[in-house]
Amino acid sequence: MEQACDDIDQMFSNLLGEMDLLTQSLGVEMIPPPSPKTPNTEFSFSVGFKDLNESLSALEDNDLDALMADLMADINETEQKTFQAQKPSSSFQRNSFTDSEPGFSVAASCDYQSNIPAAYTQDYEDYFPPPPSPPPKPNFDPPPPLPELSEPLSKEELESKAKTDKIKLALEKMKEAKIKKLVIKVLMDDDSSKTLMVDERQTARDMLENLFEKNHCDCNTDWCLYEVYHELQIERWFEDHENIVDVLSDWTRDSENKILFLQRKEKYSIFKNPQNFYLAKKGKDAGKEMNEKNKESLLEESFCGTSVIVPELEGALYLKEDGKKSWKKRYFLLRASGIYYVPKGKTKTSRDLACFIQFDNVNVYYGTQYRVKYKAPTDHCFVLKHPQIQKESQYIKYLCCDDSWTLHQWVTGIRIAKYGKTLYDNYKFAVQRMGLASRWPNLSKADPTVTARSSSSGAVQANGQIHQKATPVISTNPESFKHAEVCKEKKPNVGRDLEQAQVQPIPSTNYQQIPKVALRVSKIPPPAPARISSQFYSSAPISLPSSVKNINTNALSPLPPPPPSSLPPADVFSLPPPCENDLPPPPDDFYDPPPDFLPPPPPCFATGNGASLQPGPPLPPPLPSSNQPKPFVKKPIPLPPKRLDMTGLHSEEQRLPRPAPAGGGQPDFMSDLMKALQKKRGSNS
Amino acid sequence: MAGIKTASGDYIDSSWELNVYVEEMGPDADPVRLRVTGDTHIGGVMLQIVDKIQLSQNWSDHALWWEQKKMWLLKTNWTLDKYGILADAKLLYTPQHKPVRLLLPNMRSVLLKISFSSPVFRAVIETCRILNIRHPEELSLLRAPEEKEKKKKKDKDTETEKIHDLTGLVLPGGSTQQMYKGMPAYFADSAETEECYKVLSVSQTNLTPEHITKIYKPGSVVDKTQINSRWLDSSRSLMQQDVMTNDKLWLRFKYFCFFDLEPKYDMVRINQLYEQARWAILLEEIDCTEEEMMVFAALQYHINKLSLTSDPLAQHRDSKLDDLDSALSHLEVKLDSAAPTNVLDSIEAIPELKDNLRLFRPKKLTLKGYKQHWVIFKDTSISYYKSKDEARGEPLQQLNLKGCEVVPEVNVPGQKFCIKLLVPSPEGMSEIYLRCDNEQQYAKWMAACRLAAKGKTMADGTYQSEIQNILSFLLLQKSNPDCQIAADAENMNTQALVSPRYQKKFKAKQLTPRILEAHQNVAQLNLMEAKMRFIQAWQSLPDFGISYFLVRFKGCRKDEILGIANNRLIRIDLSIGDVVKTWRYSNMRQWNVNWDIRQVAIEFDEHINVAFSCISSNCKIVHEYIGGYIFMSTRSKDQNTALNEELFHKLTGGHEAL
């Protein structure tokens, strides 16, 4: 891991170098670039990359491979489009190689105060073609960039006001695009691990859903994402509404902290047996039974009033004194406003209480093995600290309880005081989700719209997700945005070189992957369609070293659709079928490369369609085009994708759609990943 | 008709004379004499009275009150025989609605006509309808405490301060209320009634510490039981309970489970609730910790300020509109400033702060003081340099303030304007003090720090208002020592925001920064949100919603305290104040009252039986409290279900209801 970290800087500078090259070459071909300005643009690119790359580089090789495999799977599934898109891309490469400069020159020649925006304007114009362009065909046609590129030139003459408008727009896009992404490794309870990508809008709940999907486990409410601080020996689960990226970005680079995916019955025990917290007599353990109706009314009373009732909790706890090894016994009380203690010689009336801590800025963690580490009286410890603190510090409060039940009561009480009703909402959503999951088999045939509706009405989070899923890397995404540039500008120069250099390594990764993928598939009873095909396909590409290209180009194809955001995709995504229809036209110049590819697609398609569907396999383009359109229209519906994946096992129609968004979303990461991999390999070797 | 006479003047029917006093004739006037028989019905009697006195006025509200039996003769079709009225009955012909001075939860008095003939429960419902308070079942009436003669004289001038007359209000017939100018239409009739509505819906802002210290404060739990002895019986009428015209009554929230508080409809209700909560806290009726008191104080300050600055009646407007307004004005400001320079700047430039500030980083074992540095605030970070000249190089240190704690350390008279920052980092918190030279500078930097702590930059729309907030708060402190008496609207006294205990504990200059600190967490709330937050914080107090009674449990020798809350009964040791035992209503099987020995007996699940006699108050009050809470829990979420009055009386009425 450390070694990986060392790479970061290297990667970073590599990146910068690339950018440099890029811009320089562009500049050279064009009017002499305003040299002081261009660097800025590079910078903004590289900043964007940083997060992703950083997190990528923090992964071990095999994780990367695994992630790659996952992503590959999706891509391969969309092979059809991929190879089709290749033509555009390659043409694009050429175009951009020669033509993209004008755009830059425009930007450069316009004397803006800041040329970051300038640079972006150009991007913007290229990649977010004016409204008219969205119609299906243009999006997939390679040429569009050309006309657009010429456009800026003409704009040169326009008043500055028009320009600023554009800049504004571009800036907005930039803002939207500033979405952080992290790749994280999640350890499963069976010691395996999964690597996932999180973006900063995702909550722990989204992650859980993701993991449910990957693991096909029961979606019961005990599952949690669990963070473990290695150094501090503390741990806790994320609350479902918490934003993962926010929390993770507090970790230090060299952190040995981990994220686990496991079940903890304590997570929602408050809602399963509220009487143990609200009605328990002092000093008595849990275990009293209560009928469901009473529980419900108790919860109603505690959580649904004007304010949430924090369980009454008080008692002697041991407090680790600042900087000392000793633990001092004190009488603590929990109130909605914080934890208080009774000062010496005072009574426990409210006015005498001294505030120990308030919850605004701290999280509560379980301490593990503190008897050994800190000579605590028992191992039932909890810790309160600011989430950003990662090392031992006097600002961390350590408390120790007599027994595990007391500990659990305190931790739960603090969570209620801190999060209030949100906790209950989380739980209700989790329960709802669990209910849905258990009904899966029956739902499988249900039409997607229904599931879509239910899910979107279900929860706010779900909605958030929807967008992520449906418009993954489209205009809103930083990567996509950058990608646009990268693919276009980089490919021609650096990118291409790299590709060539990499052609070899990549296949090899694929080799490595195969067993793994296979393993996973076998482990998981109902593998997502994606995986099947990946397995299938992963063998195919091996023979084709040029698969790399394939991937990269793939990145391009989804890009055009950006403008439409969430809803429009429905139309946009229905494009893919058209593109199959389009297949014939493009061939002209680019037909040469595709031939190699043509073989693979059909098989993929076959798998994609699933055994249940009509023969389909051998006749790739025509057949699909006829029956696919509908699925594609459905596909784009936001959240459902997830659900659909699961249900998709039974109905091929739903499965088919997947490629579209997946192709739209993933390929982008793909090239990022590829690059990271390449670099990694390069630097390692 | 009754009164058939022979020629000699003897009555030959069974008629007799009935004396009826008429309120309008004055207390000393002779009664009206009527000739009636036993089967004259009440309606006929009233008709005769009106005929006899020849006074033309609206008599529709009048009814007969039977003095000896303390009852209203409201059933006009009943005959005198049926009522059992004989010639010796002393009847009074009087209006059913009489004015009383009603002290509202916000400690303001209004003169209001209230029904003396219907049960208090119904009378409260009517009153609340006029006052525009929903869910009247949660409120009830108390007798005002008997004022001591001495005190009365002393307070005479303040006593008469202002009683708003609401007797003239006419409720519209329809069930749906129309809103006009943000208030029920019937309030918008005249300037006076509009004023009254403000009294109801806007909180009082010009309190002084003296106000608070002057009002009676319960010192012990036993004191707190006193108020509960004054509740009026909901199932009987005011007249039956010896309430007189123009008496003083209190209207209070009695049952502490507030159903469906909705800022949209509940302007008055939320305000009254807020005021009741606020007074409960200021008068130490409910205990809270110092930290909690600061939050309460900050919320009061915030509410006061909003009540003064914004037109409170405009509050019903969509808050989104306000957001829009502020966004627009912000945009304007932005454009203004950007106009002369380049447009681009205004688009993406985030304002920066650069200045010479004195900086202090406490470290172990060093006593270094503040040192001058060149400090730059950019985005959410501050960087500091030895001097301005070195600002191009690497800063001595750069701190990202996201997630940090910002603590004001201000002393206006002492011209000390410090900002203490606790900046989290992986290693812990780093402490740093920024010292500003004056209010202006301080406000700018402080506002920037606060925003940065929330992850926002100075480009955020709230920056300017944040600065204004801070400045106005500092002003408070400034004017305080000079003009203690000046309680004009603009000047609020921080001491008046806390209970006397904390007034004594802190000097104003200590109090202000603490309230300021708490204020930063609530500064963005709008008026209604702030009131709701206050109510919520009040509800979160452990002792919230407990009504105390002095009781003696069966088989015990000493008095104990019974606490009645919305979901449970609590037995409290009188001497120590510890909770001995809690019983929840959900486990309750039945309860009954032995009216003769004034004992309440309750049976819980698992054959737990509890019995106690009430000492501090009538056991009817205890009975009604328990029954009332159970009634409250039966209310359904459905908005349209009418209040089940019958059930209420069944649960609370006692033997009289049966």
Side-chain angles (χ1 to χ4, degrees):
Chain A
M1 181 114 45
E2 292 111 305
Q3 157 210 358
C5 288
D6 292 339
D7 293 344
I8 293 172
D9 291 339
Q10 207 176 335
M11 292 179 49
F12 195 79
S13 53
N14 277 351
L15 251 174
L16 276 173
E18 285 172 28
M19 294 308 201
D20 237 334
L21 261 176
L22 221 178
T23 35
Q24 270 168 24
S25 66
L26 291 174
V28 169
E29 294 206 27
M30 278 321 299
I31 306 156
S35 42
K37 292 172 181 177
T38 33
N40 281 343
T41 61
E42 303 160 15
F43 183 68
S44 55
F45 296 161
S46 51
V47 165
F49 276 113
K50 207 179 99 187
D51 294 319
L52 188 58
N53 283 338
E54 217 172 82
S55 50
L56 281 178
S57 63
L59 291 167
E60 284 149 34
D61 278 354
N62 53 346
D63 297 324
L64 256 181
D65 293 346
L67 184 58
M68 284 286 296
D70 271 0
L71 297 176
M72 285 286 264
D74 292 334
I75 286 168
N76 292 339
E77 238 195 12
T78 64
E79 165 66 5
Q80 211 85 44
K81 266 138 277 143
T82 312
F83 89 92
Q84 193 269 335
Q86 201 192 349
K87 286 159 264 162
S89 71
S90 42
S91 74
F92 197 10
Q93 283 174 8
R94 278 174 212 180
N95 292 339
S96 60
F97 201 60
T98 50
D99 294 333
S100 67
E101 290 79 12
F104 249 163
S105 73
V106 174
S109 56
C110 303
D111 213 286
Y112 294 141
Q113 295 277 313
S114 140
N115 76 331
I116 303 175
Y120 274 101
T121 3
Q122 183 253 333
D123 300 330
Y124 177 69
E125 278 155 12
D126 284 352
Y127 289 99
F128 311 107
S133 68
K137 287 214 170 167
N139 271 344
F140 275 87
D141 285 349
L146 259 170
E148 256 118 43
L149 287 173
S150 58
E151 215 180 53
L153 272 175
S154 64
K155 286 243 162 91
E156 208 173 356
E157 278 90 52
L158 288 175
E159 294 108 286
S160 64
K161 202 200 165 203
K163 280 174 204 155
T164 50
D165 280 349
K166 290 224 157 151
I167 293 164
K168 269 188 199 166
L169 256 174
L171 279 167
E172 259 164 49
K173 293 285 173 197
M174 269 173 71
K175 246 187 209 164
E176 281 175 26
K178 275 186 192 160
I179 290 168
K180 237 200 224 170
K181 284 204 174 108
L182 290 177
V183 173
I184 62 167
K185 187 170 111 178
V186 181
L187 301 174
M188 305 290 132
D189 47 358
D190 61 356
D191 292 336
S192 64
S193 70
K194 288 240 165 12
T195 309
L196 304 172
M197 172 115 37
V198 235
D199 86 34
E200 70 181 340
R201 294 163 302 187
Q202 282 181 302
T203 62
R205 186 75 229 166
D206 298 334
M207 290 276 291
L208 285 177
E209 302 273 314
N210 221 327
L211 284 159
F212 287 158
E213 188 188 317
K214 287 203 184 223
N215 286 322
H216 303 276
C217 53
D218 63 332
C219 308
N220 80 53
T221 52
D222 292 341
W223 284 105
C224 42
L225 269 189
Y226 206 72
E227 68 172 329
V228 178
Y229 282 65
H230 179 82
E231 187 179 336
L232 294 169
Q233 290 182 212
I234 55 173
E235 53 192 45
R236 63 158 195 148
W237 51 78
F238 291 113
E239 300 302 343
D240 285 356
H241 65 277
E242 273 184 281
N243 185 309
I244 299 291
V245 171
D246 278 359
V247 179
L248 295 188
S249 44
D250 291 336
W251 291 9
T252 52
R253 272 186 184 179
D254 54 347
S255 170
E256 289 181 62
N257 298 353
K258 285 180 211 141
I259 293 195
L260 313 182
F261 177 59
L262 42 66
Q263 301 188 61
R264 275 291 144 106
K265 63 178 189 329
E266 292 91 350
K267 185 180 181 188
Y268 286 131
S269 61
I270 172 81
F271 302 114
K272 289 171 183 162
N273 284 300
Q275 75 278 12
N276 294 342
F277 296 87
Y278 283 103
L279 308 183
K281 285 165 201 142
K282 252 176 257 171
K284 282 201 183 153
D285 270 23
K288 232 183 160 185
E289 271 313 305
M290 194 182 201
N291 68 42
E292 288 303 318
K293 206 180 132 221
N294 285 346
K295 282 182 189 176
E296 213 169 279
S297 62
L298 183 58
L299 285 176
E300 173 90 2
E301 175 186 309
S302 310
F303 285 91
C304 302
T306 326
S307 72
V308 168
I309 300 174
V310 176
E312 274 176 44
L313 199 53
E314 57 179 69
L317 301 176
Y318 300 93
L319 168 68
K320 185 174 179 290
E321 295 194 70
D322 287 347
K324 287 189 205 153
K325 289 212 166 151
S326 62
W327 294 72
K328 199 174 181 183
K329 203 165 186 171
R330 270 190 186 283
Y331 198 86
F332 287 94
L333 296 97
L334 177 68
R335 296 170 74 105
S337 58
I339 298 180
Y340 293 79
Y341 64 90
V342 181
K344 245 188 186 162
K346 293 281 181 70
T347 64
K348 56 177 197 182
T349 49
S350 301
R351 66 194 105 141
D352 287 340
L353 296 178
C355 186
F356 172 67
I357 200 165
Q358 294 184 294
F359 305 126
D360 299 333
N361 290 317
V362 295
N363 283 342
V364 59
Y365 302 79
Y366 288 100
T368 52
Q369 306 270 308
Y370 271 18
R371 222 138 49 142
V372 179
K373 188 175 167 85
Y374 292 124
K375 295 201 166 62
T378 75
D379 264 338
H380 312 294
C381 298
F382 66 95
V383 167
L384 293 156
K385 72 162 187 74
H386 192 290
Q388 270 172 273
I389 300 179
Q390 304 286 318
K391 309 229 161 79
E392 275 189 51
S393 137
Q394 53 164 330
Y395 295 94
I396 303 181
K397 308 284 184 200
Y398 305 90
L399 289 157
C400 179
C401 312
D402 283 326
D403 51 64
S404 63
W405 171 243
T406 318
L407 170 67
H408 181 37
Q409 273 186 313
W410 274 95
V411 172
T412 307
I414 294 167
R415 288 166 61 217
I416 296 172
K418 182 172 168 65
Y419 300 112
K421 185 153 188 288
T422 315
L423 219 50
Y424 190 40
D425 293 339
N426 286 346
Y427 171 70
K428 283 195 285 196
F429 183 69
V431 168
Q432 188 191 351
R433 185 60 184 75
M434 180 173 72
L436 273 182
S438 63
R439 291 202 331 253
W440 257 170
N442 321 333
L443 278 179
S444 57
K445 270 285 171 185
D447 67 328
T449 48
V450 169
T451 27
R453 218 180 301 132
S454 69
S455 65
S456 61
S457 65
V460 190
Q461 290 111 309
N463 278 331
Q465 241 170 9
I466 286 165
H467 294 281
Q468 291 152 17
K469 276 268 164 177
T471 61
V473 180
I474 316 199
S475 61
T476 52
N477 252 330
E479 262 81 24
S480 73
F481 195 52
K482 272 172 262 153
H483 246 283
E485 277 132 26
V486 171
C487 298
K488 178 180 133 202
E489 294 154 17
K490 192 188 276 181
K491 231 107 274 173
N493 314 310
V494 195
R496 197 175 269 173
D497 302 345
L498 285 173
E499 271 165 41
Q500 255 123 41
Q502 257 117 44
V503 169
Q504 246 91 24
I506 292 301
S508 69
T509 62
N510 277 341
Y511 276 122
Q512 286 176 349
Q513 227 101 56
I514 300 162
K516 257 192 202 165
V517 173
L519 234 185
R520 211 175 285 173
V521 169
S522 63
K523 188 163 51 179
I524 301 149
R531 239 153 246 149
I532 303 178
S533 61
S534 80
Q535 183 194 10
F536 213 93
Y537 184 55
S538 56
S539 55
I542 297 159
S543 56
L544 320 163
S546 46
S547 63
V548 177
K549 228 177 218 165
N550 186 357
I551 292 153
N552 284 331
T553 53
N554 187 16
L556 254 186
S557 64
L559 285 175
S565 49
S566 50
L567 267 186
D571 310 312
V572 176
F573 279 124
S574 59
L575 306 178
C579 79
E580 259 123 8
N581 289 336
D582 294 343
L583 276 184
D588 321 311
D589 357 17
F590 310 105
Y591 215 70
D592 325 33
D596 318 21
F597 285 106
L598 275 178
C604 147
F605 214 83
T607 54
N609 275 348
S612 50
L613 187 62
Q614 321 93 317
L619 8 153
L623 218 196
S625 67
S626 58
N627 68 347
Q628 266 173 342
K630 292 167 212 154
F632 273 106
V633 178
K634 281 175 190 167
K635 182 29 261 205
I637 295 161
L639 219 211
K642 286 185 170 172
R643 303 261 156 88
L644 291 182
D645 295 342
M646 303 184 101
T647 48
L649 296 174
H650 305 275
S651 63
E652 62 306 320
E653 273 195 345
Q654 290 160 0
R655 186 174 341 150
L656 273 178
R658 173 139 217 221
Q666 247 73 324
D668 200 36
F669 308 156
M670 272 310 292
S671 44
D672 270 350
L673 278 173
M674 291 306 251
K675 253 170 271 139
L677 250 184
Q678 290 159 12
K679 248 167 251 159
K680 200 147 200 199
R681 259 149 235 282
S683 58
N684 284 352
S685 58
Chain B
M1 265 324 260
I4 302 172
K5 286 188 267 190
T6 61
S8 60
D10 298 323
Y11 288 94
I12 54 162
D13 60 355
S14 56
S15 66
W16 39 276
E17 268 187 350
L18 180 67
N19 290 328
V20 178
Y21 294 87
V22 179
E23 175 108 356
E24 274 66 21
M25 314 287 279
D28 304 323
D30 288 333
V32 179
R33 268 163 206 240
L34 307 173
R35 192 89 205 157
V36 294
T37 60
D39 49 7
T40 313
H41 46 70
I42 302 294
V45 175
M46 292 200 291
L47 231 97
Q48 281 193 52
I49 300 171
V50 176
D51 271 353
K52 262 250 171 73
I53 49 180
Q54 306 264 316
L55 212 63
S56 66
Q57 69 167 85
N58 183 358
W59 297 100
S60 62
D61 192 44
H62 280 60
L64 285 169
W65 164 254
W66 188 1
E67 194 103 22
Q68 290 101 327
K69 285 267 170 111
K70 292 206 170 223
M71 66 186 290
W72 287 91
L73 309 177
L74 293 175
K75 300 201 167 80
T76 47
N77 55 342
W78 278 26
T79 59
L80 293 173
D81 280 350
K82 196 162 184 186
Y83 267 118
I85 291 170
L86 300 171
D88 63 343
K90 200 178 166 195
L91 297 186
L92 180 67
Y93 191 55
T94 180
Q96 296 177 59
H97 288 79
K98 299 172 194 293
V100 291
R101 287 177 295 151
L102 205 57
L103 187 72
L104 301 175
N106 63 351
M107 299 292 208
R108 300 284 205 102
S109 297
V110 292
L111 193 68
L112 203 66
K113 273 195 178 161
I114 184 166
S115 166
F116 272 57
S117 62
S118 44
V120 168
F121 187 69
R122 176 117 283 271
V124 171
I125 292 176
E126 284 172 15
T127 310
C128 288
R129 183 135 177 264
I130 296 172
L131 298 177
N132 200 26
I133 297 175
R134 294 194 311 147
H135 295 288
E137 67 275 12
E138 290 160 7
L139 295 94
S140 192
L141 296 172
L142 303 106
R143 283 174 216 281
E146 282 161 36
E147 287 155 278
K148 290 166 196 151
E149 261 333 282
K150 243 197 316 183
K151 214 176 174 186
K152 208 171 182 179
K153 263 176 210 157
K154 203 192 279 174
D155 294 345
K156 198 112 200 193
D157 29 22
T158 51
E159 200 65 41
T160 53
E161 81 190 307
K162 213 171 199 183
I163 296 178
H164 296 273
D165 192 351
L166 288 177
T167 49
L169 280 184
V170 184
L171 267 182
S175 58
T176 49
Q177 288 187 351
Q178 288 183 333
M179 299 296 277
Y180 179 69
K181 284 205 250 176
M183 60 182 94
Y186 55 90
F187 273 114
D189 285 347
S190 68
E192 293 93 73
T193 50
E194 269 182 43
E195 179 64 30
C196 288
Y197 189 72
K198 273 189 189 167
V199 168
L200 297 177
S201 60
V202 180
S203 72
Q204 220 175 336
T205 55
N206 51 357
L207 288 179
T208 61
E210 292 74 36
H211 264 114
I212 299 167
T213 41
K214 215 165 52 188
I215 301 175
Y216 167 79
K217 277 175 289 301
S220 65
V221 200
V222 180
D223 288 348
K224 289 180 195 167
T225 64
Q226 289 312 316
I227 185 177
N228 288 321
S229 65
R230 308 204 314 262
W231 289 110
L232 291 170
D233 187 338
S234 300
S235 42
R236 297 197 298 151
S237 67
L238 288 178
M239 198 78 164
Q240 285 173 309
Q241 301 182 59
D242 300 324
V243 176
M244 313 288 273
T245 307
N246 283 324
D247 265 6
K248 207 170 175 185
L249 293 177
W250 290 11
L251 180 70
R252 284 297 141 90
F253 289 89
K254 179 179 185 185
Y255 301 102
F256 295 87
C257 42
F258 314 115
F259 200 67
D260 181 34
L261 284 177
E262 170 58 60
K264 241 205 272 175
Y265 316 115
D266 287 335
M267 279 261 295
V268 178
R269 183 172 171 223
I270 289 175
N271 183 55
Q272 296 293 340
L273 198 50
Y274 155 71
E275 288 276 354
Q276 184 168 337
R278 169 207 210 180
W279 284 105
I281 281 153
L282 291 180
L283 299 180
E284 293 165 17
E285 283 165 20
I286 183 166
D287 257 348
C288 65
T289 65
E290 198 176 302
E291 285 70 22
E292 287 157 355
M293 181 58 85
M294 294 310 145
V295 174
F296 286 126
L299 281 167
Q300 286 178 68
Y301 166 75
H302 191 62
I303 291 165
N304 287 351
K305 207 175 58 141
L306 290 179
S307 307
L308 285 175
T309 51
S310 58
D311 176 13
L313 293 181
Q315 282 301 318
H316 67 283
R317 264 200 316 169
D318 203 347
S319 63
K320 272 175 196 155
L321 268 179
D322 297 339
D323 291 349
L324 193 69
D325 280 349
S326 70
L328 279 175
S329 63
H330 172 62
L331 193 68
E332 245 169 64
V333 170
K334 246 183 160 180
L335 290 176
D336 279 353
S337 66
T341 62
N342 196 296
V343 198
L344 267 179
D345 283 339
S346 70
I347 299 169
E348 47 97 59
I350 294 167
E352 290 178 18
L353 285 177
K354 298 175 183 177
D355 219 331
N356 271 314
L357 294 182
R358 279 167 294 169
L359 238 132
F360 170 53
R361 306 213 58 181
K363 282 186 189 130
K364 269 180 196 164
L365 304 175
T366 50
L367 285 169
K368 265 197 232 155
Y370 285 89
K371 214 175 160 190
Q372 186 102 332
H373 285 280
W374 179 250
V375 191
I376 298 180
F377 202 126
K378 195 180 178 190
D379 289 341
T380 60
S381 308
I382 51 169
S383 326
Y384 58 90
Y385 308 83
K386 257 192 186 142
S387 68
K388 190 175 177 178
D389 306 331
E390 294 183 20
R392 281 195 202 146
E394 282 287 302
L396 291 176
Q397 197 185 14
Q398 183 168 22
L399 294 163
N400 189 343
L401 301 191
K402 206 172 165 187
C404 80
E405 265 177 66
V406 186
V407 187
E409 303 223 334
V410 186
N411 182 352
V412 181
Q415 287 295 296
K416 180 188 166 202
F417 303 99
C418 291
I419 306 168
K420 179 185 170 190
L421 297 170
L422 273 173
V423 188
S425 67
E427 288 77 27
M429 305 286 228
S430 24
E431 219 170 296
I432 187 164
Y433 290 80
L434 302 177
R435 181 160 189 167
C436 306
D437 297 325
N438 55 49
E439 285 103 326
Q440 289 298 332
Q441 191 183 41
Y442 169 82
K444 273 189 213 154
W445 284 80
M446 186 68 184
C449 288
R450 284 187 184 177
L451 288 179
K454 291 179 200 148
K456 295 177 188 165
T457 68
M458 282 172 272
D460 192 89
T462 55
Y463 180 58
Q464 289 305 328
S465 66
E466 190 78 50
I467 293 180
Q468 288 313 314
N469 274 341
I470 295 166
L471 280 175
S472 63
F473 210 101
L474 291 179
L475 261 179
L476 264 189
Q477 209 188 14
K478 203 174 197 175
S479 48
N480 249 350
D482 311 332
C483 42
Q484 195 70 265
I485 318 115
D488 66 297
E490 276 306 316
N491 177 22
M492 279 170 275
N493 194 324
T494 46
Q495 290 260 336
L497 301 174
V498 297
S499 69
R501 175 176 301 121
Y502 294 101
Q503 290 175 13
K504 275 176 228 149
K505 190 167 175 182
F506 297 105
K507 288 181 200 137
K509 66 174 182 186
Q510 294 169 308
L511 208 52
T512 310
R514 293 213 50 184
I515 297 176
L516 183 61
E517 186 186 346
H519 183 244
Q520 60 187 334
N521 292 323
V522 300
Q524 301 307 323
L525 301 176
N526 71 31
L527 186 56
M528 275 308 185
E529 287 168 344
K531 284 179 182 172
M532 287 297 283
R533 180 73 66 87
F534 193 98
I535 294 167
Q536 284 163 8
W538 174 49
Q539 286 180 306
S540 297
L541 296 176
D543 295 337
F544 163 79
I546 304 176
S547 312
Y548 300 96
F549 294 90
L550 197 62
V551 298
R552 184 167 293 179
F553 281 89
K554 199 178 172 187
C556 289
R557 290 216 182 141
K558 55 175 188 190
D559 292 346
E560 281 173 273
I561 298 288
L562 177 76
I564 300 181
N566 67 343
N567 55 3
R568 65 197 191 277
L569 298 174
I570 307 159
R571 182 174 180 172
I572 300 166
D573 186 299
L574 184 53
S575 49
I576 315 171
D578 272 356
V579 173
V580 179
K581 180 95 184 129
T582 302
W583 303 281
R584 296 176 57 83
Y585 299 146
S586 54
N587 297 329
M588 199 155 89
R589 285 263 173 88
Q590 60 163 353
W591 83 99
N592 53 65
V593 185
N594 183 334
W595 300 102
D596 297 331
I597 55 170
R598 308 217 305 173
Q599 191 182 62
V600 180
I602 307 176
E603 184 189 340
F604 293 97
D605 284 348
E606 296 164 14
H607 304 294
I608 298 167
N609 284 292
V610 180
F612 52 83
S613 54
C614 310
I615 295 169
S616 65
S617 58
N618 192 317
C619 65
K620 171 67 171 44
I621 295 176
V622 174
H623 167 68
E624 197 180 309
Y625 240 118
I626 298 173
Y629 271 129
I630 287 166
F631 172 77
M632 298 298 151
S633 67
T634 63
R635 291 180 291 179
S636 76
K637 284 262 181 253
D638 188 6
Q639 283 290 325
N640 297 321
T641 48
L643 205 53
N644 189 343
E645 246 176 277
E646 198 185 332
L647 178 65
F648 179 84
H649 288 303
K650 231 183 203 166
L651 285 167
T652 62
H655 60 307
E656 286 155 40
L658 299 175

